[in-house]
Amino acid sequence: MTQTKLWNRDFSLLITGQVVSIFGNMILSWALPLYILYISDSAALFGLVLAVPNISLLIMSPIGGIMADRLKKQRIMFWLDAITTVIIVAYMLISGLFAAVVPIVIVKLLALNAIQGLYMPTVQAAIPALSPPDKLVSANAATTVVNSLSNLVAPAAAGILFSQFGLFPILVISAICFVITSVMDLLIRIPFVKQPACTSIPQLVKSDLTQAARFAVKERPIMAKLAVVMLIFNITIASTLLVGMPVLITQHLGMEMDMVGFSASFMMVGGLAGGILAGTLGKRITLSKLWIIMVLVSLAIAPIGAVLLLDLPYFVTYVVITAASAVTLMIVQMFTIPVFAYIQKETPSELIGKVMSVIMMMPFLANAVGQLIYGIFFEQFAPWIVIVVSSILSAVIALLSRRHLKP
């Protein structure tokens, strides 16, 4: 049955569950890499710990897309949340038995990201099934806003808890969040249409992914172009922020981990504002105007390079890094939300999970490559050089993409 109201029962349950689930995931995903940066004092190792887990996201995302189109979405979400709870509890039990901390953390993040790789296409495929077709931008904006609220609290909570009590209470809180979300998953009703089965799993995977790739490349080539732009843009912008902000605050400014958490939370305020703006502007943000937003993102990170070059007082530098990161994420959300809404609107329901998973593989690949590269860059070069070069490269990419981002 087609929904006519955006905030219907099932969409509200989905969004509420996302708030709790993302908080539980983010508080742990922030704490574990920061723990490695804290004990190692190495930007390169920090970048490695951030980068390697993206491999499991990259591998599992297309499988998650296939599952989202062929299985009941609410059941997928329930089992993934339940398995995440088990993994966290298992980590709590075994982490004290091994001296090799870094491999254990990487394995833990690989497992979490593998589950997220399955989970995210399911949620993206559920949004158009639970919201009216003419409100997809608003639905994605609403998802982004509530997710940003979770992201707003989680990094600050992770930084404070880690500084005061260590890792254990963060693990407990994260496990509780996923237990709550598992219960909520059982209450959601998402429309489901059974699809024909293939003779074998390898044949099913090959057939479904080929079908999704053919649709994105041949029938809607703008989607393939959007995926490539997201890949390149995430390497330059997202990786700069994810690796650079914690490294600059702890190593360049000599501040504690809780200050990283506060900056990350303030950055999520920018993400929240971006979601609200995207929902307000709605259809006025067209694909042909996305290159302008990309140019604005490139300019938004430039003040970080400038304040580092000028060697201003530490607190002033901290404020500029935090504010510029928040503005950058705000503008990034204004790029991402219309892209996802366009893909959801233009893709048939039987393909949406697979197509979204293929598109979402690009940021995952970008993060894996970019975080590894920028971890090394921030260790080998002056930070202001890394920021300025990233700003220039992303601006060039934005200008080159202008003639390609037209439906």
Side-chain angles (χ1 to χ4, degrees), residues 6-284:
L6 177 58
W7 288 99
N8 56 75
R9 171 190 178 276
D10 296 304
F11 182 76
S12 300
L13 279 172
L14 176 71
I15 296 302
T16 306
Q18 283 293 287
V19 172
V20 180
S21 176
I22 290 173
F23 177 82
N25 184 65
M26 282 297 298
I27 194 173
L28 192 55
S29 296
W30 263 95
L32 290 175
L34 287 177
Y35 176 57
I36 296 301
L37 181 62
Y38 175 76
I39 65 174
S40 69
D41 201 32
S42 170
L45 185 57
F46 177 62
L48 177 67
V49 172
L50 284 174
V52 170
N54 281 290
I55 296 172
S56 57
L57 268 174
L58 188 63
I59 294 172
M60 300 307 292
S61 179
I63 298 175
I66 294 171
M67 290 171 56
D69 288 337
R70 290 187 171 272
L71 302 175
K72 292 184 177 180
K73 298 174 183 62
Q74 62 269 40
R75 290 187 182 177
I76 296 173
M77 292 188 290
F78 166 76
W79 284 110
L80 292 178
D81 285 326
I83 291 170
T84 303
T85 306
V86 172
I87 291 174
I88 294 171
V89 173
Y91 177 83
M92 293 166 63
L93 294 175
I94 69 171
S95 59
L97 302 177
F98 298 90
V101 176
V102 175
I104 296 298
V105 169
I106 289 178
V107 169
K108 167 66 176 173
L109 288 172
L110 279 167
L112 280 178
N113 281 9
I115 291 173
Q116 284 299 301
L118 297 173
Y119 196 93
M120 286 187 290
T122 305
V123 173
Q124 288 296 326
I127 290 173
L130 297 179
S131 58
D134 62 336
K135 290 186 171 64
L136 275 178
V137 173
S138 298
N140 280 276
T143 306
T144 300
V145 167
V146 296
N147 290 354
S148 296
L149 287 173
S150 289
N151 289 336
L152 172 64
V153 180
I160 294 170
L161 288 171
F162 182 79
S163 296
Q164 299 297 321
F165 306 106
L167 195 58
F168 186 80
I170 295 174
L171 292 167
V172 173
I173 292 171
S174 183
I176 292 171
C177 287
F178 283 105
V179 169
I180 294 171
T181 310
S182 299
V183 175
M184 296 187 69
D185 291 335
L186 295 174
L187 303 176
I188 303 174
R189 300 169 301 190
I190 303 175
F192 173 69
V193 178
K194 189 172 182 180
Q195 297 187 28
C198 294
T199 56
S200 66
I201 293 178
Q203 181 184 352
L204 184 149
V205 173
K206 179 181 178 181
S207 172
D208 280 14
L209 292 183
T210 300
Q211 189 180 14
R214 185 185 300 116
F215 177 82
V217 174
K218 299 293 186 182
E219 297 183 36
R220 293 287 191 280
I222 183 65
M223 294 186 183
K225 293 175 183 178
L226 285 168
V228 173
V229 170
M230 290 177 69
L231 169 68
I232 302 173
F233 208 59
N234 271 271
I235 289 177
T236 56
I237 294 295
S239 300
T240 302
L241 290 182
L242 291 173
V243 176
M245 189 182 68
V247 169
L248 291 174
I249 292 172
T250 58
Q251 295 189 357
H252 183 76
L253 303 182
M255 295 180 172
E256 298 296 328
M257 289 295 176
D258 54 352
M259 300 302 286
V260 177
F262 287 130
S263 289
S265 291
F266 194 76
M267 186 169 70
M268 296 310 164
V269 173
L272 176 63
I276 294 172
L277 281 172
T280 302
L281 295 174
K283 295 179 181 179
R284 281 177 281 185

